[in-house]
Amino acid sequence: MLGSKNLGSMNRDLFVVGNWKMYKTAREAAAYLEELLPMVEGARPKIMLAVPYTSISSAAKAAKGTEVWIGAQNMSDAKEGAFTGEIAALMLKEAGASFVLLGHSERRHTFGETNELIHRKVIRALQDDLLPILCIGETASLREAGHAEQVLREQLKKGLEGVPEESQFFVAYEPVWAIGTGKTATPKMAQDAHAFCRDCLEEIFGKKKAAQVPLLYGGSVKSDNVAELVKQKDIDGVLVGGASLEPTHFAAIVNHCKKEKS
Ligand code: PGA
């Protein structure tokens, strides 16, 4: 079980990951990429798009030969079997996916996914050579009650239990109250949460590995707030929902995503 080799070395760099959620057919995905690619040519951040299952192969075909990586938004924890309606990592890979979002807030809160299930999915993705992006985040009420750190630590510890140090994975911190609400965490709030997540990674894997894991911020990211967010020491990129749906908006985010240390 060793994590995705097909993305090469994905240690800390700068990443802009789009999450299309349940938007865009296969045909729309190809048209989107045709429009996006010239606008992001030579861009500094690595670009990744998590698209609906049925759009993976057309998006991967349209992105072939470019630096844009295509991935999925979810998958089964099982390798294969009698699981009607589920989809396996190997199927995603063959369709052209190189990574997969796991434990997105909508999976946890709308579809009842638990830390235990998400953990099994992380292990499965690594075994089947898809790069997992483990999504974590606290709800507004847990933050107000002072439990944000406890929730993040638990989601990280349970999600990454038994993951070998040499595996490649990303973590995306997405406060649930910031997703799709227009309420972004301030850069300072985001940095504090990211520094805390990195400390938790250190507790799990030790200092060296913790310093290498890319940590993304997600929740109402737009072209006018991305630069301040990625300037923060522990923020290595962003996960973008709503603003990734329009090629021009997404390209503006990519082109504003620059790591100038404050
Ligand atoms: P948003 O979504 O950018 O629309 O807030 C982020 C996400 O759900 O990953």
Side-chain angles (χ1 to χ4, degrees):
M1 163 182 19
L2 298 177
S4 185
K5 291 165 212 92
N6 50 359
L7 285 173
S9 168
M10 294 297 256
N11 286 343
R12 287 177 69 184
D13 199 323
L14 198 49
F15 303 90
V16 177
V17 184
N19 171 14
W20 287 356
K21 310 195 179 189
M22 202 174 73
Y23 293 99
K24 298 196 189 296
T25 64
R27 199 193 304 251
E28 288 166 344
Y32 175 103
L33 276 147
E34 200 177 314
E35 199 177 332
L36 177 75
L37 290 171
M39 293 190 278
V40 295
E41 220 183 307
R44 158 86 172 75
K46 296 208 161 67
I47 302 169
M48 298 159 80
L49 287 170
V51 308
Y53 300 141
T54 49
S55 299
I56 291 174
S57 79
S58 80
K61 195 164 156 223
K64 200 166 180 206
T66 74
E67 291 291 308
V68 176
W69 298 95
I70 303 302
Q73 304 166 11
N74 181 33
M75 54 170 245
S76 169
D77 62 322
K79 191 174 187 74
E80 60 183 359
F83 302 110
T84 304
E86 288 292 289
I87 194 145
L90 291 171
M91 297 167 183
L92 300 175
K93 253 196 88 154
E94 199 175 300
S98 350
F99 72 95
V100 60
L101 302 181
L102 295 175
H104 184 277
S105 155
E106 285 144 23
R107 300 300 319 169
R108 292 178 188 267
H109 299 288
T110 313
F111 299 99
E113 291 196 8
T114 60
N115 281 327
E116 290 70 26
L117 175 61
I118 294 159
H119 171 243
R120 292 199 300 274
K121 293 185 179 195
V122 168
I123 300 290
R124 169 62 51 208
L126 291 170
Q127 279 174 341
D128 290 343
D129 203 23
L130 271 186
L131 175 89
I133 301 185
L134 173 64
C135 304
I136 60 170
E138 80 287 358
T139 59
S141 57
L142 286 166
R143 174 167 275 264
E144 276 147 30
H147 298 319
E149 293 195 342
Q150 192 189 319
V151 171
L152 297 179
R153 176 182 273 119
E154 193 168 299
Q155 290 178 342
L156 280 170
K157 287 216 155 153
K158 293 200 170 152
L160 296 171
E161 202 184 318
V163 165
E165 197 191 311
E166 63 274 23
S167 312
Q168 294 216 356
F169 59 88
F170 290 12
V171 172
Y173 167 64
E174 299 198 291
V176 179
W177 46 270
I179 297 179
T181 58
K183 281 193 228 158
T184 329
T186 62
K188 158 113 180 49
M189 275 162 88
Q191 165 56 27
D192 289 350
H194 279 233
F196 176 77
C197 291
R198 213 173 284 288
D199 287 346
C200 294
L201 290 173
E202 192 174 326
E203 285 167 24
I204 306 168
F205 295 103
K207 214 177 179 64
K208 182 162 169 260
K209 175 69 177 172
Q212 292 169 348
V213 175
L215 285 184
L216 313 179
Y217 169 81
S220 298
V221 173
K222 308 218 164 34
S223 58
D224 58 8
N225 59 24
V226 66
E228 276 306 311
L229 287 161
V230 299
K231 246 188 219 174
Q232 308 303 313
K233 178 168 167 279
D234 286 295
I235 302 184
D236 307 309
V238 285
L239 178 52
V240 187
S244 72
L245 291 174
E246 249 293 314
T248 46
H249 294 167
F250 191 60
I253 292 175
V254 169
N255 292 319
H256 280 86
C257 184
K258 298 199 175 91
K259 192 96 189 159
E260 286 148 7
K261 295 282 180 197
S262 41

